[in-house]
Amino acid sequence: LTLDQEVEPQWVLAEGAKKLAPLRGRTLKSVALALRTAMLQNHQYGDSPTSRTVSAKSATVAGVPAFVLQTAFTIDPQYRIDNQLRVRVEKLWIVTLSAGDGQVAAWYVTLPDDVSNLWPKVPALIKSLGLI
């Protein structure tokens, strides 16, 4: 499930959740890092963004072991010019959760600075997550 909303032409904020392949020896951290890598490889932050890990920590979310990864991406200035974008920085939160029997659930939200007023609301949103 992925939901997105355009915040400026050719740029969206997005939220999504999905069941992933079983852990099979991987950690919740490695799964979160792999999801972030996949998003970068899919050019979700344009060409050649720089990234900085804001936080990466084990947690309990929805009453189960989880890993929360927060990243800030700086959009490449030339990419911004070429695509007439206002966005400069985008923040991504990825939460991987142990869904029992080695299963993994993942949730993410990615918010550009066009809607930076939403950034402080994400921790409460993470606390509200549940497994179904």
Side-chain angles (χ1 to χ4, degrees), residues 16-33:
K18 68 186 294 183
K19 178 182 173 185
L20 300 173
L23 282 172
R24 293 193 181 113
R26 300 177 300 162
T27 64
L28 293 172
K29 177 181 179 179
S30 67
V31 173
L33 292 169

Side-chain angles (χ1 to χ4, degrees), residues 33-78:
L33 292 169
L35 287 171
R36 179 177 68 183
T37 297
M39 294 171 103
L40 280 165
Q41 289 174 343
N42 288 333
H43 299 280
Q44 287 187 233
Y45 303 97
D47 298 333
S48 305
T50 58
S51 65
R52 176 179 61 84
T53 299
V54 176
S55 68
K57 60 186 175 189
S58 295
T60 299
V61 176
V64 300
F67 190 82
V68 180
L69 176 64
Q70 181 185 354
T71 306
F73 298 98
T74 301
I75 310 308
D76 180 73
Q78 190 60 52

